[in-house]
Coordinates of all heavy atoms in Angstrom, one line a residue:
L246 N 2.6 0.3 -1.9 CA 2.5 1.2 -0.8 C 1.7 0.6 0.3 O 0.6 0.0 0.1 CB 1.9 2.5 -1.2 CG 1.6 3.6 -0.2 CD1 2.9 4.1 0.4 CD2 0.9 4.8 -0.8
A247 N 2.1 0.8 1.6 CA 1.4 0.2 2.7 C 1.4 1.3 3.9 O 2.4 1.9 4.1 CB 2.0 -1.1 3.2
L248 N 0.3 1.3 4.6 CA 0.2 2.1 5.8 C 0.1 1.2 7.0 O -0.8 0.4 7.0 CB -1.0 3.1 5.7 CG -1.4 3.8 6.9 CD1 -0.3 4.8 7.3 CD2 -2.7 4.6 6.7
Y249 N 1.0 1.3 7.9 CA 1.0 0.5 9.1 C -0.1 0.9 10.1 O -0.2 2.1 10.4 CB 2.3 0.5 9.8 CG 2.4 -0.2 11.1 CD1 2.0 -1.5 11.2 CD2 2.8 0.5 12.3 CE1 2.0 -2.2 12.4 CE2 2.8 -0.2 13.5 CZ 2.4 -1.5 13.6 OH 2.5 -2.2 14.8
N250 N -1.0 0.0 10.4 CA -2.1 0.2 11.4 C -1.6 -0.3 12.7 O -1.7 -1.5 13.0 CB -3.3 -0.5 10.9 CG -4.5 -0.3 11.8 OD1 -4.4 0.2 13.0 ND2 -5.7 -0.6 11.4
A251 N -1.1 0.6 13.6 CA -0.5 0.2 14.9 C -1.6 -0.4 15.8 O -1.2 -1.2 16.6 CB 0.2 1.4 15.5
A252 N -2.8 0.1 15.7 CA -3.8 -0.4 16.6 C -4.1 -1.9 16.4 O -4.3 -2.6 17.4 CB -5.1 0.4 16.4
N253 N -4.1 -2.4 15.2 CA -4.4 -3.8 14.9 C -3.1 -4.6 14.4 O -3.3 -5.8 14.1 CB -5.5 -3.8 13.8 CG -6.7 -3.2 14.3 OD1 -7.1 -3.3 15.4 ND2 -7.4 -2.5 13.4
D254 N -2.0 -3.9 14.4 CA -0.8 -4.6 13.9 C -1.0 -5.2 12.5 O -0.6 -6.4 12.3 CB -0.3 -5.7 14.9 CG 0.7 -5.1 15.9 OD1 1.2 -4.0 15.6 OD2 1.0 -5.8 16.9
N255 N -1.6 -4.4 11.6 CA -1.8 -4.9 10.3 C -1.6 -3.7 9.3 O -1.1 -2.6 9.8 CB -3.1 -5.6 10.0 CG -4.3 -4.7 10.3 OD1 -4.2 -3.5 10.4 ND2 -5.4 -5.3 10.5
F256 N -1.9 -3.8 8.0 CA -1.6 -2.8 7.0 C -2.8 -2.5 6.1 O -3.6 -3.4 5.8 CB -0.4 -3.3 6.2 CG 0.8 -3.6 7.0 CD1 1.0 -4.8 7.6 CD2 1.8 -2.6 7.2 CE1 2.1 -5.1 8.4 CE2 2.9 -2.9 8.0 CZ 3.1 -4.1 8.6
I257 N -2.8 -1.3 5.7 CA -3.7 -0.8 4.7 C -2.9 -0.7 3.4 O -1.9 0.0 3.4 CB -4.4 0.5 5.1 CG1 -5.2 0.3 6.4 CG2 -5.3 0.9 3.9 CD1 -5.7 1.6 7.0
T258 N -3.3 -1.3 2.3 CA -2.5 -1.2 1.1 C -3.4 -0.3 0.1 O -4.6 -0.2 0.2 CB -2.2 -2.5 0.5 OG1 -3.4 -3.2 0.3 CG2 -1.3 -3.3 1.4
F259 N -2.7 0.2 -0.9 CA -3.3 1.1 -1.9 C -3.0 0.7 -3.3 O -1.9 0.3 -3.7 CB -2.8 2.5 -1.7 CG -3.1 3.1 -0.3 CD1 -2.2 2.8 0.8 CD2 -4.2 3.8 -0.1 CE1 -2.5 3.3 2.0 CE2 -4.5 4.3 1.2 CZ -3.6 4.0 2.3
R260 N -4.1 0.7 -4.1 CA -3.9 0.3 -5.5 C -4.2 1.5 -6.4 O -5.0 2.4 -6.1 CB -5.0 -0.8 -5.9 CG -4.6 -2.2 -5.3 CD -5.7 -3.2 -5.8 NE -5.4 -4.5 -5.3 CZ -4.7 -5.4 -5.9 NH1 -4.1 -5.1 -7.0 NH2 -4.5 -6.6 -5.4
N261 N -3.5 1.5 -7.6 CA -3.8 2.4 -8.6 C -4.9 1.7 -9.5 O -4.6 0.8 -10.3 CB -2.6 2.7 -9.4 CG -2.8 3.7 -10.5 OD1 -3.9 3.9 -11.1 ND2 -1.7 4.5 -10.8
N262 N -6.1 2.2 -9.4 CA -7.2 1.5 -10.1 C -7.1 1.5 -11.6 O -7.5 0.6 -12.3 CB -8.6 2.0 -9.6 CG -8.9 1.7 -8.2 OD1 -8.5 0.7 -7.7 ND2 -9.5 2.7 -7.5
K263 N -6.5 2.6 -12.1 CA -6.4 2.8 -13.5 C -5.5 1.7 -14.1 O -5.8 1.2 -15.2 CB -5.8 4.2 -13.8 CG -5.7 4.5 -15.3 CD -5.2 5.9 -15.6 CE -5.0 6.1 -17.1 NZ -4.5 7.5 -17.3
N264 N -4.4 1.4 -13.5 CA -3.5 0.5 -14.0 C -3.5 -0.9 -13.3 O -2.8 -1.8 -13.6 CB -2.0 1.0 -14.0 CG -1.9 2.2 -14.8 OD1 -2.3 2.3 -16.0 ND2 -1.2 3.2 -14.3
D265 N -4.3 -0.9 -12.2 CA -4.5 -2.1 -11.4 C -3.1 -2.6 -10.9 O -2.8 -3.7 -10.8 CB -5.1 -3.3 -12.2 CG -5.6 -4.4 -11.2 OD1 -6.0 -4.1 -10.1 OD2 -5.6 -5.5 -11.6
K266 N -2.3 -1.6 -10.5 CA -1.0 -1.8 -9.9 C -0.9 -1.1 -8.5 O -1.6 -0.1 -8.3 CB 0.1 -1.4 -10.8 CG 0.2 -2.2 -12.1 CD 1.4 -1.6 -12.9 CE 1.5 -2.4 -14.2 NZ 2.6 -1.9 -15.0
Y267 N -0.1 -1.6 -7.7 CA 0.1 -0.9 -6.4 C 0.8 0.4 -6.6 O 1.7 0.5 -7.4 CB 0.9 -1.8 -5.4 CG 0.1 -3.0 -4.8 CD1 0.3 -4.3 -5.3 CD2 -0.8 -2.7 -3.8 CE1 -0.5 -5.3 -4.7 CE2 -1.6 -3.7 -3.3 CZ -1.4 -5.0 -3.7 OH -2.1 -6.1 -3.2
A268 N 0.4 1.4 -5.8 CA 1.2 2.6 -5.7 C 2.5 2.3 -4.9 O 2.6 1.3 -4.2 CB 0.4 3.7 -5.1
T269 N 3.5 3.1 -5.1 CA 4.7 2.9 -4.3 C 5.4 4.2 -4.0 O 5.3 5.2 -4.7 CB 5.7 2.0 -5.1 OG1 6.8 1.6 -4.3 CG2 6.2 2.7 -6.4
L270 N 6.1 4.2 -2.9 CA 6.9 5.3 -2.4 C 8.2 5.4 -3.1 O 8.7 6.5 -3.4 CB 7.1 5.2 -0.9 CG 6.0 5.6 0.0 CD1 6.3 5.3 1.4 CD2 5.7 7.1 -0.1
C271 N 8.9 4.3 -3.3 CA 10.2 4.3 -3.9 C 10.5 2.9 -4.4 O 9.8 2.0 -4.1 CB 11.2 4.7 -2.8 SG 11.3 3.6 -1.4
S272 N 11.6 2.8 -5.1 CA 12.0 1.5 -5.6 C 13.5 1.4 -5.7 O 14.1 2.4 -5.7 CB 11.3 1.2 -7.0 OG 11.8 2.1 -7.9
R273 N 14.0 0.2 -5.8 CA 15.5 0.1 -5.9 C 15.7 -0.9 -7.0 O 14.9 -1.8 -7.3 CB 16.1 -0.5 -4.6 CG 16.0 0.6 -3.5 CD 16.7 0.0 -2.2 NE 16.5 0.9 -1.1 CZ 17.4 1.7 -0.7 NH1 18.6 1.8 -1.3 NH2 17.2 2.5 0.3

C-alpha cells in the first residue's frame, strides 16, 4: 500500500509489523 504525497512527488508506504509484510488495497 502507498499514499501519494503530491507536495513532494513521493510516497508513504505502510507495513504490517506483525507479519513484516506490506499492507495492500487489492491484488490480481
Side-chain angles (χ1 to χ4, degrees):
L246 175 66
L248 172 63
Y249 173 56
N250 183 344
N253 298 322
D254 268 345
N255 60 18
F256 300 86
I257 302 169
T258 58
F259 299 85
R260 287 183 182 271
N261 183 331
N262 293 327
K263 181 178 179 180
N264 296 316
D265 197 29
K266 294 180 180 179
Y267 284 104
T269 188
L270 281 171
C271 61
S272 61
R273 292 181 186 260

